[in-house]
Amino acid sequence: MSTEKLVENIKNEIKEVVKEYGNKNVVIAFSAGLDSTVAALLTKEALGPENVELVNVVYGPFTYKRSIEIVKKSAEKMGLKITFLESLYQKEIWKNGPSCNMCTKTVKMNTVKKYAKDRLVITGSNQSDSWGKTGLKVFNGLYAPLGNLNKSEIQNILDFYSFKLERIGENSKREGCKLKHLLKIMTNLDYHGKAVDLANEILLENVPKNLELANVKIIGPLSKNIAIINVKPMVDNINEIKKKIENIDVIDEVIVAKKPLILHVIANPSIYRVKNSRYWIEVGKLQPEFAVPIKVIWKESKNNKLRTIQVVGVEEWKDYDPRNLKINLDTDLEMKNSCSLL
């Protein structure tokens, strides 16, 4: 099917779904990323700009400063109203360990739904998301017009509209809030939260926007914040950046990821005892966020507060040999995995 025909089909579906819902005014959960931007462009054409409101959830110190400006510019380019809502409830979620999916479901979507009231909430969820794999497009006041599309098809639609996205600069493929880089329980917002906030803001202020990867992972036991700087490709001013991050009062140690690393990870029993869950976290979630090859040494957690994982330590992977690294990718792994971190 041509992209032009696909666009027309989706717009017609949007009209039908909204008509059946009974309120022609809709709200779009908007981040200015690929998925929500395409959803907004299609919905604007299907319903008219006067019936569409973009809503962006600001996560306090965990939203990049650059992100807010990008959202404003994108809304202006599309000629759509933008409303900003603030929520800090994610600090409650991170008390049980990293869980981006839980944040999306309970913080982002619930905040938008509460604001929307009787209006349908349109999202950019697609085949790459856990919701997209259910096959449902309309559920509990939410509608995913891109639900059965893959990333390539969504990118083609964006190209069809000749709409250029602006990047925050943390990842060439998927960007989000700073809190996802805190790979441990957050029991103290002013210690753990402050570390991941300031370190990542400093990094993005001092590197080009077009890097493949730029983040600072905060790991370690609860009493120690270890910062791992991931930059790909490496930048010439990395030592200056390291010094700036070392000067943050809540960071105890700084490591620049230049050589392969071993991560020591404790995991909730429901993750530790499921091989596919451990594999997907290591290969599908952690490795893409690191600038160097990693290996995970797993340990089952005895802390009943830990719902997901915590990276408690790091060391150089001294015997790393790419010839011995065998990864058998399982294309159905996301479906088999039950980890709430995804």
Side-chain angles (χ1 to χ4, degrees), residues 59-64 88 90-92 94-95 177-201 216-219 221-222 224-226 248-251:
Y59 304 112
F62 305 121
T63 292
Y64 289 98
L88 278 175
Q90 66 270 35
K91 68 181 182 179
E92 300 299 322
W94 242 255
K95 287 181 180 179
C177 77
K178 289 177 265 187
L179 192 55
K180 71 176 181 179
H181 302 306
L182 180 64
L183 300 181
K184 59 197 274 187
I185 286 175
M186 181 169 65
T187 59
N188 188 334
L189 182 65
D190 294 326
Y191 180 60
H192 306 120
K194 183 178 178 182
V196 77
D197 165 25
L198 297 183
N200 279 282
E201 205 67 61
V216 183
K217 299 296 185 188
I218 303 297
I219 69 162
L222 294 181
K224 184 178 182 181
N225 282 332
I226 302 170
I248 298 173
D249 60 349
V250 290
I251 289 182

Side-chain angles (χ1 to χ4, degrees), residues 117-231:
K117 296 181 180 177
D118 62 342
R119 290 177 290 174
L120 186 66
V121 175
I122 293 179
T123 83
S125 295
N126 54 80
Q127 281 187 1
S128 69
D129 304 312
S130 55
W131 179 16
K133 290 184 171 52
T134 66
L136 292 173
K137 280 194 171 185
V138 183
F139 176 73
N140 195 25
L142 303 173
Y143 169 41
L146 312 180
N148 60 355
L149 303 186
N150 58 42
K151 287 292 186 181
S152 177
E153 291 169 320
I154 296 171
Q155 181 64 53
N156 287 341
I157 295 175
L158 186 73
D159 295 339
F160 175 82
Y161 281 104
S162 300
F163 195 95
K164 185 174 176 58
L165 298 178
E166 286 195 52
R167 287 184 52 203
I168 298 171
E170 67 163 352
N171 193 300
S172 62
K173 295 181 180 178
R174 193 177 184 98
E175 300 184 307
C177 77
K178 289 177 265 187
L179 192 55
K180 71 176 181 179
H181 302 306
L182 180 64
L183 300 181
K184 59 197 274 187
I185 286 175
M186 181 169 65
T187 59
N188 188 334
L189 182 65
D190 294 326
Y191 180 60
H192 306 120
K194 183 178 178 182
V196 77
D197 165 25
L198 297 183
N200 279 282
E201 205 67 61
I202 286 173
L203 178 62
L204 289 201
E205 287 172 356
N206 289 276
V207 297
K209 292 182 182 179
N210 61 348
L211 295 181
E212 180 181 340
L213 199 67
N215 69 64
V216 183
K217 299 296 185 188
I218 303 297
I219 69 162
L222 294 181
S223 60
K224 184 178 182 181
N225 282 332
I226 302 170
I228 303 176
I229 304 174
N230 292 283
V231 176

Side-chain angles (χ1 to χ4, degrees), residues 21 36 53 76 107 115 167 177 198 202 206 208 231 257 265 287-288 294 296 300 337:
Y21 192 76
S36 63
E53 180 179 3
E76 185 177 348
V107 180
Y115 173 78
R167 287 184 52 203
C177 77
L198 297 183
I202 286 173
N206 289 276
V231 176
V265 178
Q287 180 61 82
I294 63 166
V296 173
E300 186 171 351
N337 162 47

